Amino acid sequence: MKTNPLLVLLAIIFMVGCSSKPNIPVSDGQTLVMEASVLAAGISAEKPDISTDNGATVSRSQLYNEQSKPVIISYRFYWYDAKGLEIHPLEQPRTITIPAKSSVSVSSIASYPDARQVRLYLSL
C-alpha cells in the first residue's frame, strides 16, 4: 500500500497547528545572567526583584564594584508573561558606570501590563 505524501504533510501540519505553546519558565536560578568577563572584572549583583510602583511593574537590581577603578557595564532586562513567553519589543541594551568600591541600582519598567517574570543580563 502506497502512502500519499500530500496526506502525510497535511496530517503533520494539522498536528503542529493543534499543539499548545510550550511554557518557558524563568526559574529563580535564571533571573540574573552574568558573563564570565563581568565576574572577572569584580562585579557582583543582586537578583532582580519585581514590584509595583504607581501601577507599573518595575524590576530593580543592585550592582556592586569590588575593584579600585570604575567599571562600565552593559545590561538589559528581559520581561516575560505568566506563561514564560518573552515580551516584545525588547528593551535596548543600556550601559552604566559603577564607581570604584561602590554600587549602583539599575531598573526597568515593563512595557506590557501582564509582565510577571524578569531576567537581567550583564556584560562588559
Side-chain angles (χ1 to χ4, degrees):
M1 180 175 182
K2 194 172 185 182
T3 306
N4 184 340
L6 183 57
L7 288 176
V8 172
L9 181 61
L10 287 173
I12 291 171
I13 291 171
F14 178 76
M15 288 187 303
V16 170
C18 291
S19 66
S20 63
K21 292 183 179 179
N23 233 4
I24 308 169
V26 178
S27 72
D28 288 338
Q30 298 172 323
T31 59
L32 177 63
V33 178
M34 299 172 63
E35 290 185 355
S37 59
V38 173
L39 295 170
I43 303 300
S44 60
E46 294 177 359
K47 290 182 180 182
D49 67 350
I50 297 176
S51 61
T52 303
D53 190 3
N54 292 328
T57 303
V58 179
S59 179
R60 290 182 181 84
S61 177
Q62 197 73 19
L63 310 181
Y64 302 93
N65 180 1
E66 305 298 329
Q67 298 295 321
S68 56
K69 61 182 180 181
V71 177
I72 299 172
I73 294 291
S74 294
Y75 67 98
R76 178 187 247 175
F77 286 86
Y78 292 87
W79 287 97
Y80 301 86
D81 66 14
K83 293 180 181 178
L85 300 175
E86 192 172 70
I87 296 171
H88 290 263
L90 295 176
E91 290 186 1
Q92 293 299 313
R94 296 181 266 173
T95 59
I96 192 165
T97 301
I98 308 173
K101 303 282 186 188
S102 189
S103 69
V104 295
S105 179
V106 294
S107 63
S108 172
I109 299 173
S111 62
Y112 182 66
D114 290 332
R116 297 290 179 263
Q117 300 172 328
V118 71
R119 176 177 289 142
L120 173 59
Y121 184 84
L122 302 175
S123 61
L124 286 184

